[in-house]
């Protein structure tokens, strides 16, 4: 049971965003009488400080996603905060721990959330909560794509589309830490500058005609060994023409369909792989989580924070993440 002695349990309700029906951003309603989650024995209760906003949050809210939650629900999974209650079966965490996670049991857009302990990532004691909210999904997705799915090696050349966004920046930092050569793209001068400041020599604007030729020139005409693709419905056909022999496109994001010519894959025996964090086995998620904790300790893992919103501005955040003109770091809700 939750202790009544702690000040944060002086009430049984909390403020949270609730979705009662799928639809546009207007279905995101802020409620003040939502019951505080009751964690199970293998879970912890976290007092939420900040939440990462992801495009998938919008797809689910709109009803355009393969796996939809039961209505009503609290959106979000990327969360950061302080452990305030520990279930009886939890061994490696205690009250007061600063943690983040990529998967909650009760939703992230609220003042409290329950999280299974196997999905927790422990943060350094002085780690900034806002940055912590940008760790979970972006860095685990990057690890899933670059290491677990593709097994890219030091010295290989990787093109990262949307390198100024949350997942793109995570993939950039991870690839560089593993000794890979990174080429990045972004949609604005500000985004391109951000990517360069994170150690990428060759950065191109993917909104400009001819950027694919610039990528090929940067590789001496050989093409890239891998591509991290955030918007495959726009870029996939062009991606296939930029791959080196045996190269691979990792599809991290898509907002629709696209027609490709399979012959573009045949001569060089290239490959397309889908990446979905939600489909990852628990043992892979744990491996990725441990790698992220190492990155936090070593310091190469350093999220770049973009626009910040209050919970009251959640509808605007959902509009902006889909209709933005260029990613500039991870979008975060401050609770």
């Amino acid at each position: 049971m939750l202790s009544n002695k702690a000040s944060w349990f002086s009430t049984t309700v909390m403020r949270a965003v609730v979705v009662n029906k799928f639809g546009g951003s207007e279905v995101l309603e802020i409620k003040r009488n939502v019951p505080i989650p009751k964690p199970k024995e293998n879970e912890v209760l976290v007092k939420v400080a900040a939440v990462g906003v992801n495009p998938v949050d919008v797809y689910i809210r709109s009803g355009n996603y393969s796996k939809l939650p039961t209505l009503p629900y609290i959106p979000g999974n990327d969360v950061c905060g302080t452990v305030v209650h520990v279930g009886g079966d939890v061994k490696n965490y205690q009250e007061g721990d600063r943690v983040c996670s990529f998967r909650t049991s009760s939703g992230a857009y609220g003042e409290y959330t329950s999280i299974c302990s196997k999905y927790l990532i422990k943060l350094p004691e002085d780690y900034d909560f806002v940055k912590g909210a940008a760790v979970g999904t972006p860095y685990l997705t990057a690890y899933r794509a670059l290491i677990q799915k593709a097994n890219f090696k030091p010295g290989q050349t990787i093109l990262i589309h949307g390198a100024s966004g949350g997942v793109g920046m995570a993939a950039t930092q991870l690839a560089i830490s593993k000794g890979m050569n990174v080429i990045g793209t972004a949609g604005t001068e500000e985004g391109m500058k951000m990517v360069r400041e994170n150690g990428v020599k060759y950065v191109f604007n993917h909104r400009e005609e001819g950027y694919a030729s610039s990528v090929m020139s940067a590789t001496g005409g050989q093409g890239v060994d891998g591509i991290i693709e955030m918007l495959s419905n726009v870029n996939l056909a062009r991606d296939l023409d930029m791959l080196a022999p045996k190269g691979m496109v990792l599809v991290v994001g898509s907002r629709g369909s696209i027609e490709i010519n399979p012959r573009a894959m045949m001569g060089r025996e290239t490959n397309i792989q889908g990446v979905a964090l939600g489909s990852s086995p628990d043992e892979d998620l744990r491996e990725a989580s441990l790698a992220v904790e190492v990155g936090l300790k070593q310091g190469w893992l350093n999220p770049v924070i973009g626009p910040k919103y209050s919970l009251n501005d959640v509808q605007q955040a959902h509009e902006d993440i889909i209709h933005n003109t260029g990613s500039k770091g991870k979008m975060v809700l401050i609770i």
Side-chain angles (χ1 to χ4, degrees):
M1 295 183 61
L2 302 184
S3 170
N4 290 321
K5 295 179 181 179
S7 60
W8 45 73
F9 299 134
S10 59
T11 179
T12 59
V13 296
M14 66 176 183
R15 185 165 169 263
V17 175
V18 178
V19 174
N20 286 289
K21 63 180 180 179
F22 298 113
S25 59
E26 70 277 0
V27 304
L28 297 165
E29 299 180 75
I30 299 175
K31 303 288 188 180
R32 296 183 177 275
N33 60 346
V34 179
I36 292 176
K38 295 181 179 179
K40 299 176 182 177
E41 291 299 294
N42 65 340
E43 295 179 336
V44 303
L45 185 69
V46 171
K47 189 177 190 305
V48 178
V51 176
V53 181
N54 295 302
V56 69
D57 298 348
V58 178
Y59 305 150
I60 294 172
R61 183 218 71 214
S62 65
N64 297 315
Y65 197 66
S66 57
K67 296 179 182 179
L68 294 175
T70 301
L71 295 169
Y73 78 98
I74 298 172
N77 276 299
D78 266 340
V79 65
C80 185
T82 304
V83 174
V84 294
H85 174 80
V86 178
D89 294 338
V90 177
K91 306 301 181 186
N92 298 323
Y93 298 90
Q94 60 186 4
E95 292 182 14
D97 282 347
R98 297 164 78 95
V99 296
C100 67
S101 183
F102 53 94
R103 182 177 294 176
T104 74
S105 302
S106 58
Y109 290 20
E111 293 176 325
Y112 295 90
T113 187
S114 55
I115 305 171
C116 182
S117 61
K118 65 183 177 182
Y119 300 134
L120 290 171
I121 296 172
K122 189 173 289 187
L123 298 172
E125 288 186 8
D126 59 347
Y127 203 78
D128 181 71
F129 280 134
V130 175
K131 283 193 172 185
V135 169
T137 294
Y139 285 87
L140 267 70
T141 299
Y143 189 89
R144 180 72 176 160
L146 289 166
I147 308 302
Q148 292 179 333
K149 298 290 286 186
N151 194 27
F152 289 132
K153 304 295 185 182
Q156 289 188 289
T157 300
I158 313 301
L159 170 64
I160 299 175
H161 274 306
S164 61
V167 175
M169 186 56 65
T172 296
Q173 292 175 359
L174 176 60
I176 290 174
S177 78
K178 297 293 185 181
M180 302 169 199
N181 302 311
V182 174
I183 298 173
T185 76
T188 65
E189 286 299 322
E190 184 181 356
M192 293 170 66
K193 178 182 177 184
M194 183 187 302
V195 178
R196 291 191 189 97
E197 289 173 347
N198 274 266
V200 180
K201 180 179 179 182
Y202 295 107
V203 185
F204 305 107
N205 190 328
H206 53 231
R207 298 181 187 276
E208 294 180 356
E209 289 293 330
Y211 82 86
S213 296
S214 299
V215 171
M216 294 301 292
S217 295
T219 66
Q222 296 300 306
V224 296
D225 298 299
I227 298 176
I228 304 298
E229 181 52 71
M230 313 297 176
L231 197 61
S232 56
N233 58 296
V234 172
N235 299 319
L236 187 56
R238 188 184 297 112
D239 289 343
L240 296 176
D241 292 330
M242 292 188 284
L243 287 175
K246 312 296 183 183
M248 182 186 300
V249 178
L250 283 304
V251 176
V252 172
S254 182
R255 298 182 186 176
S257 60
I258 186 172
E259 181 177 316
I260 65 170
N261 185 349
R263 288 185 179 276
M265 302 171 63
M266 294 165 61
R268 285 165 287 161
E269 294 188 331
T270 55
N271 190 13
I272 302 172
Q273 284 272 355
V275 179
L277 203 57
S279 301
S280 306
D282 279 348
E283 57 268 26
D284 287 357
L285 291 173
R286 191 58 198 153
E287 175 193 313
S289 297
L290 292 172
V292 166
E293 288 185 2
V294 170
L296 287 165
K297 292 176 182 176
Q298 292 177 340
W300 62 260
L301 193 160
N302 186 27
V304 175
I305 304 303
K308 292 180 282 189
Y309 299 80
S310 72
L311 200 61
N312 289 335
D313 296 321
V314 63
Q315 293 184 5
Q316 189 62 53
H318 270 224
E319 291 293 327
D320 290 350
I321 198 168
I322 293 298
H323 301 297
N324 70 80
T325 57
S327 298
K328 298 179 284 292
K330 180 68 175 177
M331 185 179 291
V332 175
L333 289 176
I334 309 299
I335 305 302

